[in-house]
Amino acid sequence: MTVEAPDPRVRTWSPVCQAVALLLGPYAEVVLHDVARDEVLALWNPMGSRAPGDPSLLGELDGLAPTAPDVYGPYEKLLPDGRRLSSVSAVLRDTDGRPSAVLCVNLDRGPLEHAAALLAGFAAPTAPRPEPLFEHDWTERMNDVIGGYVRAHGRPPERLGREDRLAVLRELDRAGVLAVRRAVPAVATALRVSRSTVYALLADLRTEAGHDSGTGPGADPETGPGTGPESHAGPESHAGPEAGPAADAPQRNER
């Protein structure tokens, strides 16, 4: 019995087809079509009953100009069971530039659509936040300000520059966060900087804004400037982690 030698196009393109099939697993069908005979040369991960030798039904490809694009898609296809596919087709040419084979990849979109629907269900809140429960939670206000700035500017906290941090501190001041006792360590942690950096920025913010009346960031509105931990003149005297408990000594007015 004579064993038919494998088609040279299958030998040439089989590693590519197998690599794509392995990468996309059971969700992608890879088909190599014979242009001259309009039949299937080989399949990987077949989704239906097609087999090598079955009609490809591709139509005439001789009309494709040598300068025409050789990759088409992604375009949509449907299976009889209703599954939607995203497909791409690549025309493979011989050394003379004539279409020799067509490589098609058909990706089953069903698992991706199910996963997207599941993730979308978890991604969005289903009800408004009950504000009375968070009315006195200054950490929530702090997170809203810093998190909102990070999302709006597309940079994580550790990549914020000086002007960014000053803008955040202005918003925190307007939100009343900086009037809270022990807010600076929490703000420093959220911004991923040292407490001394936050104290220095607050001092710069007071100077820039002319907050010498005791109402600027870090000042206690009842006792005036110089009473809150944020209002000390030198950041090194109380700010860094090495400063210990003295950095957060109890103040006269608890917030």
Side-chain angles (χ1 to χ4, degrees):
M1 181 177 64
T2 302
V3 178
E4 185 178 352
D7 189 290
R9 290 166 297 182
V10 176
R11 290 200 304 268
T12 300
W13 296 105
S14 179
V16 175
C17 297
Q18 186 176 3
V20 173
L22 288 173
L23 178 64
L24 300 179
Y27 305 114
E29 174 188 63
V30 182
V31 189
L32 190 63
H33 298 277
D34 184 335
V35 174
R37 294 184 294 183
D38 193 28
E39 65 181 30
V40 175
L41 279 172
L43 293 98
W44 292 261
N45 293 338
M47 291 184 178
S49 58
R50 283 191 302 180
D54 287 350
S56 294
L57 304 177
L58 291 176
E60 295 294 333
L61 298 182
D62 291 338
L64 292 175
T67 57
D70 284 339
V71 179
Y72 300 87
Y75 52 87
E76 185 173 304
K77 293 171 62 176
L78 285 174
L79 292 178
D81 60 8
R83 282 181 293 170
R84 294 200 301 169
L85 308 177
S86 287
S87 302
V88 292
S89 295
V91 178
L92 310 177
R93 298 180 181 272
D94 59 20
T95 55
D96 295 324
R98 293 189 300 266
S100 172
V102 174
L103 171 62
C104 292
V105 180
N106 303 311
L107 179 67
D108 184 358
R109 292 167 51 176
L112 298 177
E113 292 172 347
H114 291 320
L118 179 64
L119 292 174
F122 284 106
T126 57
R129 183 172 68 180
E131 293 301 332
L133 295 180
F134 299 95
E135 183 178 359
H136 302 292
D137 190 344
W138 62 270
T139 61
E140 287 288 340
R141 298 199 302 273
M142 178 189 72
N143 291 339
D144 285 345
V145 169
I146 298 177
Y149 192 93
V150 165
R151 289 181 64 87
H153 292 78
R155 294 194 301 276
E158 63 270 17
R159 293 185 57 191
L160 296 180
R162 178 180 180 277
E163 293 304 319
D164 294 314
R165 292 167 182 163
L166 286 173
V168 169
L169 290 177
R170 291 189 191 98
E171 289 296 321
L172 291 173
D173 186 34
R174 281 193 283 267
V177 172
L178 298 181
V180 178
R181 182 173 176 265
R182 298 184 183 276
V184 167
V187 171
T189 298
L191 290 176
R192 299 177 187 175
V193 297
S194 65
R195 280 180 285 176
S196 60
T197 297
V198 175
Y199 286 128
L201 289 170
L202 287 172
D204 292 343
L205 196 59
R206 287 197 304 274
T207 300
E208 292 175 4
H211 289 165
D212 294 327
S213 62
T215 59
D220 190 304
E222 295 183 8
T223 58
T227 60
E230 299 90 334
S231 61
H232 290 278
E236 297 301 329
S237 63
H238 52 263
E242 68 278 3
D248 297 315
Q251 302 300 313
R252 202 164 34 148
N253 294 296
E254 291 255 345
R255 295 265 176 243

